[in-house]
Amino acid sequence: MEYKLKAIAQELNGELIGDGEVTIHSIASLSSAESGQITYVTEKNISKLTDCRASAIVVPEKLTDAHLPGIRVKNPRLAFVHVMNLFHQATRANGLISSAMVDCSLQAGESTQIDEGTVVKENVSIGEGTLISSNCFIGENVTIGDHCFIHPHVTILRDTWIGSNVIIHSGAVIGSDGFGYEWDGQQHVKIPHAGNVVIHDDVEIGANTTIDRGTIDPTIIERGTKIDNLVQIAHNVHIGKHCIIAGTTAIAGSASIGDHVVLAGGSAVVGHLTIGAHSTILGKSNITKDLPAHSIISGYYARPHHEQLRKQAAIERLPHTLKKFSTRIDSLEKSIKKLTKEE
Amino acid sequence: MEYKLKAIAQELNGELIGDGEVTIHSIASLSSAESGQITYVTEKNISKLTDCRASAIVVPEKLTDAHLPGIRVKNPRLAFVHVMNLFHQATRANGLISSAMVDCSLQAGESTQIDEGTVVKENVSIGEGTLISSNCFIGENVTIGDHCFIHPHVTILRDTWIGSNVIIHSGAVIGSDGFGYEWDGQQHVKIPHAGNVVIHDDVEIGANTTIDRGTIDPTIIERGTKIDNLVQIAHNVHIGKHCIIAGTTAIAGSASIGDHVVLAGGSAVVGHLTIGAHSTILGKSNITKDLPAHSIISGYYARPHHEQLRKQAAIERLPHTLKKFSTRIDSLEKSIKKLTKEE
Amino acid sequence: MEYKLKAIAQELNGELIGDGEVTIHSIASLSSAESGQITYVTEKNISKLTDCRASAIVVPEKLTDAHLPGIRVKNPRLAFVHVMNLFHQATRANGLISSAMVDCSLQAGESTQIDEGTVVKENVSIGEGTLISSNCFIGENVTIGDHCFIHPHVTILRDTWIGSNVIIHSGAVIGSDGFGYEWDGQQHVKIPHAGNVVIHDDVEIGANTTIDRGTIDPTIIERGTKIDNLVQIAHNVHIGKHCIIAGTTAIAGSASIGDHVVLAGGSAVVGHLTIGAHSTILGKSNITKDLPAHSIISGYYARPHHEQLRKQAAIERLPHTLKKFSTRIDSLEKSIKKLTKEE
């Protein structure tokens, strides 16, 4: 695939800078780009532009004097996503069912693709344009919508309901039993898990992430939420729309996360809590209390981030501060002693 | 499946309240239950009972005036587990071996079930009523007892020994090599792992959990212990009976955990430590020292929980406390100066 | 397999102690060894030697009076690795391709082995002596070098490049998409991931570990680095040579780790940071700033370990220290009051 720069500019609705006839054959990062390639620069790293050897560059509106042909846009990162999609066309479902291990009850679209080694159990429905890659497992009564991409080695257990445009990465497990027991005096008795998992449109789920089914009611991930690798989502969790949940985060049972919440990497949410919409939880925070909307929280004992910074600053100076206090009190005590004696 | 309420009451050995002829067709949670369904309430949330639209309810003994037909029992949560099992019969092995990738040396029971896509290597023994779901891997010389449920995509590597009534969830890896190397001056030399993994009766292991084989001696999980998702158990760990190990916990090599220990989510245990029986480790604690039996421990630098609370309270007030001290010392110094001058 | 002790001593270039004619049939740990077995002892646990029932023992040079036949060597742990390898010969590739799901475009060595249930897509190249175990997925354009061991259920996605002598444990996912989105005002737009993963010679990757592909440039693991279970390595991370990365560690996008770095269990590195060579990061540390070479770092808010110890000591005593200060200041204030009144 090759494009003239002017064609790319048109595609982006951007302002062409310099020679629009330059031919571009691939994308590259700012530091590795060579002749024939296009890259991008954000406001933050404009200074790195001087050494750029690309043939063309996507630049922010503020940049007025690029030494290269380019395209001026509002958000270069977002525009470059579109450029990447021009050169790297997404994998499309081919309408072939290559696996011999698909139950005859399957309801699939004309263009549904199921690859080698995948097992599909009874009463499954899979929509148009959806690609189930190799060695997956789709349990009974599972519904998957249109244009989903289920990567190799994904496990989707019985009764799971998945909307459209959902991406699930390799090794993810959807619908495992929740971790619930009741002690009967002699042993932990397993609580059966009869709920399912419901995943709405446009959700993406990372590699080796686990999402447990609900005990009675479902575990729910709302539309547009993106979940990274190795995340644990326990039974009956409810996650709102357009959340960002970064790698190795863990959300305990029945927690409820509002819309547009960001949980940075390694954070943890205790069971049955509610996190208000538009909250931001910084990396490795442990949330142990309900949070109102728009909270910004951090810390091992999570608190509002600005308080946390003040406490942490005090701790950083603590040995020094305590020593200074001690010296000053010592000296005061001596003075008092002296004054008392003198009397 | 449908039951009269009086039949369920009999099944639970509970005291029937109100109309025993009510027909129940399914279970539901307290908030979502509708006509024809049964749910339960614990002492803690009795106040939520007023809006309940279920046809019947399992209640604690203390509750004397339910407005619904119901069943009075000692532990409603435990009783409701039995109700759930009435309506959701557990998956049972069907005695079919559907996978073409099973070695002829397999010793299996009459009722053993092995599903499509599962690979079984040489000299494997699998007991009666055990169900190995799809796309699993069972390595050579593996023994699995009776009535186990091995979910799809489980990897059980060579020489693993598994008792009866064991449940292993999807993506779990049992018997991977431990993480051990010896530096020879030029590179990390891999220490071979000749030990195996031994998992006793009634153990449950969560999705994508990893349990490494021992270096020479085995890694051991004793009877009745329950392990959640994404847990890491390193080589030569020994876990006692009836422990609860919640999600994303990590236990380093050769650690020894006593019976009835609870490790809450995200906790970590350093290698070669001993944790005494009946200890409770709160969420995200990092255990770096041996613990006596019945310890209750928390914190990033884990300590007895009551000490931790005191320290954390001091830290929460720290900026304020230090400022107050500073003001008081300033004032004292001024007074002393004045007094000294006056003399 | 059986060896005379003198043959083992020769193999290790060690000094024979006592009867070299003793026959050894297997290895064992110090505490479990019985007659006919060989074990080892390090300087640290020489005291445990007295009860040893082994027929022979590998001992450090300092030990002059073993009561058992043995072999004296510089590093008993390292020497015992060689003894273990004598008794437990590594699995070797058998040159058979047992899977029916291998694309005809495969370029494989004479001795390459591919087991049942493994899927190999278009344009894959696999070297001599490499064993791909059961139920793996090898995506298109993947290259794997010689003498690698890919355990069951490994996912290696398109374009991944793997050198020689690489070991990948079960459930690992290599080449999943990085976690990158750009908000367009209405939704998170997925950033395509066109980079790949490059894994150099002698690397080992643990069970259920995930390594994301680069956005444009590759994610790179240099030679000799060892990675444990359940580790998350994000897009465009660069890890140097001979690093040790222990279980449940997470490294965020574009971080760069120097050669010979040790990241102990559960540590985390924020995106875009640089960690200098030969640094040691203690368990559960969160690295949020660039680190120079040879750093030794610990803590939730990671700092140099010796500072951390001082701060932590201050915190441990904090309630006591603050109370003592308070008492002393109270008393000073009283004295001052008295003195001032007296005047």
Side-chain angles (χ1 to χ4, degrees):
Chain A
M1 254 166 306
E2 276 188 0
Y3 299 91
K4 298 270 181 210
L5 183 59
K6 64 182 181 189
I8 301 175
Q10 210 160 17
E11 198 70 44
L12 301 186
N13 281 321
E15 179 195 348
L16 181 69
I17 318 171
D19 182 6
E21 297 298 321
V22 174
T23 302
I24 303 300
H25 60 70
S26 60
I27 58 146
S29 63
L30 189 57
S31 60
S32 72
E34 299 286 349
S35 174
Q37 296 189 302
I38 187 166
T39 185
Y40 76 102
V41 69
T42 58
E43 273 184 55
K44 228 172 77 184
N45 55 5
I46 274 178
S47 62
K48 294 179 187 158
L49 189 52
T50 37
D51 300 328
C52 181
R53 298 178 307 275
S55 286
I57 184 139
V58 179
V59 299
E61 282 171 347
K62 287 207 175 161
L63 188 79
T64 48
D65 56 339
H67 67 289
L68 294 168
I71 305 166
R72 201 172 277 132
V73 298
K74 206 166 162 188
N75 179 343
R77 258 178 85 87
L78 185 57
F80 203 68
V81 168
H82 298 304
V83 178
M84 290 180 75
N85 283 328
L86 288 176
F87 287 95
H88 292 267
Q89 280 184 352
T91 312
R92 291 244 168 83
N94 65 11
L96 295 178
I97 295 183
S98 311
S99 179
M101 303 182 287
V102 172
D103 190 82
C104 58
S105 60
L106 174 70
Q107 287 200 297
E110 288 285 310
S111 57
T112 305
Q113 174 180 343
I114 300 177
D115 280 1
E116 312 84 346
T118 285
V119 172
V120 179
K121 305 296 270 188
E122 295 77 13
N123 297 320
V124 167
S125 162
I126 304 178
E128 285 294 345
T130 286
L131 192 168
I132 315 281
S133 191
S134 305
N135 281 347
C136 288
F137 175 84
I138 315 291
E140 49 187 335
N141 302 319
V142 166
T143 297
I144 302 179
D146 298 338
H147 302 290
C148 295
F149 190 169
I150 311 299
H151 284 265
H153 278 138
V154 168
T155 306
I156 300 176
L157 292 147
R158 66 183 159 80
D159 305 323
T160 300
W161 188 96
I162 295 177
S164 292
N165 300 310
V166 169
I167 300 171
I168 306 184
H169 289 282
S170 296
V173 175
I174 314 298
S176 35
D177 284 351
F179 191 64
Y181 306 91
E182 190 69 18
W183 182 252
D184 74 352
Q186 299 210 294
Q187 60 183 327
H188 300 292
V189 177
K190 180 178 174 65
I191 297 175
H193 276 70
N196 69 341
V197 176
V198 171
I199 296 174
H200 288 278
D201 295 354
D202 305 320
V203 166
E204 184 161 354
I205 295 170
N208 285 347
T209 281
T210 56
I211 304 182
D212 283 349
R213 65 177 56 244
T215 310
I216 301 175
D217 296 325
T219 301
I220 299 171
I221 319 287
E222 299 275 12
R223 184 178 175 182
T225 282
K226 311 295 186 183
I227 302 175
D228 199 358
N229 298 349
L230 292 167
V231 170
Q232 152 71 350
I233 296 179
H235 48 177
N236 295 106
V237 165
H238 183 284
I239 300 182
K241 297 186 186 72
H242 304 297
C243 293
I244 290 284
I245 299 178
T248 72
T249 287
I251 304 179
S254 303
S256 178
I257 316 287
D259 296 345
H260 298 281
V261 168
V262 174
L263 285 160
S267 44
V269 179
V270 162
H272 295 272
L273 297 187
T274 297
I275 297 189
H278 295 278
S279 291
T280 297
I281 312 302
L282 278 77
K284 291 275 176 178
S285 306
N286 302 320
I287 308 301
T288 57
K289 290 175 191 168
D290 286 344
L291 296 178
H294 295 280
S295 299
I296 299 174
I297 298 290
S298 72
Y300 181 84
Y301 298 97
R303 297 284 184 277
H305 186 51
H306 66 277
E307 287 179 25
Q308 211 68 281
L309 289 175
R310 222 167 51 215
K311 272 182 289 181
Q312 192 51 28
I315 288 172
E316 292 294 334
R317 290 186 307 258
L318 191 59
H320 177 72
T321 309
L322 294 179
K323 203 174 168 186
K324 230 170 87 187
F325 279 169
S326 182
T327 311
R328 290 170 72 190
I329 297 176
D330 283 352
S331 152
L332 284 165
E333 285 171 341
K334 263 184 226 155
S335 304
I336 291 282
K337 212 171 177 180
K338 207 174 142 202
L339 282 169
T340 313
K341 263 192 201 156
E342 278 171 11
E343 279 176 69
Chain B
M1 254 166 306
E2 277 188 359
Y3 299 91
K4 297 268 178 210
L5 182 59
K6 65 182 180 188
I8 301 176
Q10 210 160 18
E11 198 69 46
L12 301 185
N13 281 321
E15 179 194 348
L16 181 69
I17 319 171
D19 182 6
E21 297 299 321
V22 173
T23 302
I24 304 298
H25 59 70
S26 61
I27 58 147
S29 63
L30 190 56
S31 61
S32 71
E34 299 287 350
S35 175
Q37 298 190 302
I38 187 165
T39 185
Y40 75 103
V41 70
T42 58
E43 272 184 55
K44 230 173 77 186
N45 53 7
I46 276 178
S47 63
K48 294 180 188 157
L49 190 50
T50 36
D51 300 328
C52 182
R53 299 179 306 275
S55 287
I57 185 139
V58 180
V59 299
E61 283 171 344
K62 287 205 177 163
L63 188 79
T64 48
D65 56 338
H67 66 289
L68 293 169
I71 305 166
R72 201 172 277 132
V73 298
K74 205 166 163 188
N75 180 341
R77 257 178 86 87
L78 186 57
F80 202 68
V81 167
H82 298 304
V83 178
M84 290 180 75
N85 284 328
L86 288 177
F87 287 94
H88 293 267
Q89 279 184 353
T91 312
R92 290 246 168 82
N94 65 11
L96 295 178
I97 295 184
S98 312
S99 179
M101 303 183 286
V102 171
D103 190 82
C104 57
S105 60
L106 173 68
Q107 289 199 296
E110 288 284 311
S111 58
T112 305
Q113 173 180 345
I114 300 177
D115 279 2
E116 313 85 344
T118 285
V119 172
V120 179
K121 305 297 270 188
E122 297 78 14
N123 298 318
V124 167
S125 164
I126 303 178
E128 284 295 344
T130 286
L131 191 167
I132 315 281
S133 190
S134 305
N135 280 347
C136 288
F137 175 84
I138 314 291
E140 51 188 331
N141 304 319
V142 166
T143 297
I144 303 178
D146 298 339
H147 302 291
C148 296
F149 190 170
I150 312 299
H151 283 265
H153 278 138
V154 168
T155 305
I156 300 177
L157 292 147
R158 68 182 158 79
D159 306 322
T160 300
W161 188 96
I162 295 176
S164 292
N165 300 311
V166 169
I167 299 171
I168 306 185
H169 288 281
S170 296
V173 175
I174 314 298
S176 35
D177 286 351
F179 192 63
Y181 305 90
E182 190 68 19
W183 182 252
D184 74 352
Q186 300 209 295
Q187 60 182 328
H188 300 293
V189 176
K190 179 179 174 64
I191 297 175
H193 276 70
N196 68 341
V197 176
V198 171
I199 296 174
H200 288 278
D201 295 355
D202 304 321
V203 166
E204 184 161 354
I205 294 170
N208 284 346
T209 281
T210 56
I211 303 182
D212 283 348
R213 62 177 56 243
T215 310
I216 301 174
D217 297 324
T219 302
I220 299 170
I221 319 288
E222 300 275 12
R223 183 177 174 182
T225 282
K226 311 296 186 184
I227 302 174
D228 198 359
N229 297 349
L230 292 168
V231 170
Q232 152 70 352
I233 295 180
H235 49 176
N236 296 106
V237 166
H238 183 284
I239 301 182
K241 296 185 186 74
H242 304 296
C243 293
I244 290 284
I245 300 178
T248 74
T249 287
I251 304 179
S254 302
S256 179
I257 316 287
D259 295 345
H260 298 281
V261 167
V262 174
L263 286 160
S267 45
V269 179
V270 161
H272 296 271
L273 296 187
T274 297
I275 298 190
H278 295 278
S279 291
T280 297
I281 312 303
L282 278 77
K284 290 277 178 176
S285 306
N286 302 319
I287 307 301
T288 57
K289 290 175 189 168
D290 287 345
L291 296 179
H294 295 279
S295 299
I296 299 173
I297 298 291
S298 74
Y300 182 84
Y301 297 97
R303 298 283 184 276
H305 186 52
H306 66 278
E307 287 179 27
Q308 211 68 279
L309 289 175
R310 224 168 49 215
K311 273 182 288 180
Q312 192 51 29
I315 288 173
E316 292 293 334
R317 291 187 305 259
L318 193 59
H320 177 72
T321 308
L322 295 179
K323 203 173 167 188
K324 228 170 88 186
F325 279 169
S326 183
T327 311
R328 290 170 73 190
I329 298 175
D330 283 352
S331 153
L332 284 164
E333 285 171 341
K334 262 183 225 155
S335 303
I336 291 282
K337 214 171 176 181
K338 206 172 145 205
L339 281 169
T340 314
K341 262 192 203 155
E342 279 172 9
E343 278 177 68
Chain C
M1 255 167 304
E2 277 189 359
Y3 299 91
K4 299 267 180 209
L5 182 59
K6 65 182 180 188
I8 301 176
Q10 211 161 16
E11 198 69 45
L12 301 186
N13 280 323
E15 180 194 348
L16 182 68
I17 318 172
D19 182 6
E21 297 299 321
V22 174
T23 301
I24 304 298
H25 59 69
S26 61
I27 58 147
S29 64
L30 189 56
S31 61
S32 72
E34 299 287 350
S35 174
Q37 297 190 301
I38 187 166
T39 185
Y40 76 102
V41 70
T42 58
E43 274 184 54
K44 230 173 74 185
N45 54 6
I46 275 178
S47 63
K48 294 180 187 157
L49 190 50
T50 37
D51 301 328
C52 182
R53 299 177 308 273
S55 288
I57 185 139
V58 179
V59 299
E61 282 170 347
K62 286 207 175 161
L63 187 79
T64 47
D65 57 338
H67 67 288
L68 294 169
I71 306 166
R72 201 171 277 130
V73 298
K74 207 167 159 186
N75 179 343
R77 257 178 87 87
L78 187 56
F80 203 69
V81 168
H82 298 305
V83 177
M84 290 180 75
N85 283 328
L86 287 176
F87 288 94
H88 292 268
Q89 279 183 354
T91 311
R92 291 242 170 83
N94 65 10
L96 296 178
I97 295 183
S98 312
S99 178
M101 303 183 286
V102 171
D103 190 82
C104 57
S105 60
L106 173 69
Q107 287 200 297
E110 288 284 311
S111 57
T112 305
Q113 174 180 344
I114 300 176
D115 281 2
E116 312 84 344
T118 284
V119 172
V120 179
K121 305 296 268 187
E122 296 78 15
N123 297 318
V124 167
S125 164
I126 303 178
E128 285 294 345
T130 286
L131 191 168
I132 315 281
S133 190
S134 305
N135 281 348
C136 288
F137 175 84
I138 314 291
E140 51 188 332
N141 302 319
V142 166
T143 297
I144 302 178
D146 298 338
H147 303 290
C148 294
F149 190 169
I150 311 300
H151 284 264
H153 278 139
V154 168
T155 306
I156 301 177
L157 292 147
R158 69 183 158 79
D159 305 323
T160 300
W161 189 97
I162 295 177
S164 293
N165 301 311
V166 169
I167 299 170
I168 306 184
H169 288 281
S170 295
V173 175
I174 315 297
S176 35
D177 285 351
F179 191 64
Y181 304 91
E182 190 69 18
W183 182 253
D184 74 352
Q186 299 210 293
Q187 60 184 328
H188 300 292
V189 177
K190 181 178 174 64
I191 297 175
H193 276 71
N196 69 341
V197 176
V198 171
I199 295 174
H200 288 278
D201 294 355
D202 305 320
V203 166
E204 185 161 353
I205 295 170
N208 285 347
T209 280
T210 56
I211 303 183
D212 283 348
R213 62 177 55 244
T215 310
I216 301 174
D217 297 325
T219 301
I220 299 171
I221 318 287
E222 299 275 12
R223 184 179 174 181
T225 282
K226 311 296 186 184
I227 301 174
D228 198 358
N229 297 349
L230 291 169
V231 170
Q232 151 71 349
I233 296 179
H235 49 176
N236 295 105
V237 165
H238 183 283
I239 300 181
K241 296 185 186 74
H242 304 296
C243 294
I244 290 284
I245 300 178
T248 72
T249 287
I251 304 178
S254 302
S256 179
I257 315 287
D259 295 344
H260 299 280
V261 167
V262 175
L263 286 160
S267 45
V269 179
V270 161
H272 295 272
L273 297 188
T274 297
I275 297 190
H278 296 277
S279 291
T280 297
I281 312 304
L282 278 78
K284 291 275 176 178
S285 306
N286 301 320
I287 308 300
T288 56
K289 291 176 188 167
D290 288 343
L291 296 178
H294 296 278
S295 299
I296 299 174
I297 298 290
S298 73
Y300 181 84
Y301 297 96
R303 298 283 183 276
H305 186 50
H306 65 277
E307 287 180 25
Q308 211 67 282
L309 289 174
R310 223 166 50 215
K311 271 181 290 179
Q312 191 51 28
I315 288 172
E316 292 293 335
R317 290 186 306 258
L318 193 58
H320 177 72
T321 309
L322 295 179
K323 201 174 170 187
K324 230 170 87 186
F325 280 169
S326 182
T327 310
R328 290 171 73 191
I329 297 176
D330 282 354
S331 152
L332 283 165
E333 285 171 343
K334 262 183 224 154
S335 303
I336 290 282
K337 211 169 179 181
K338 208 174 143 202
L339 282 169
T340 313
K341 265 192 198 154
E342 279 171 11
E343 276 175 69

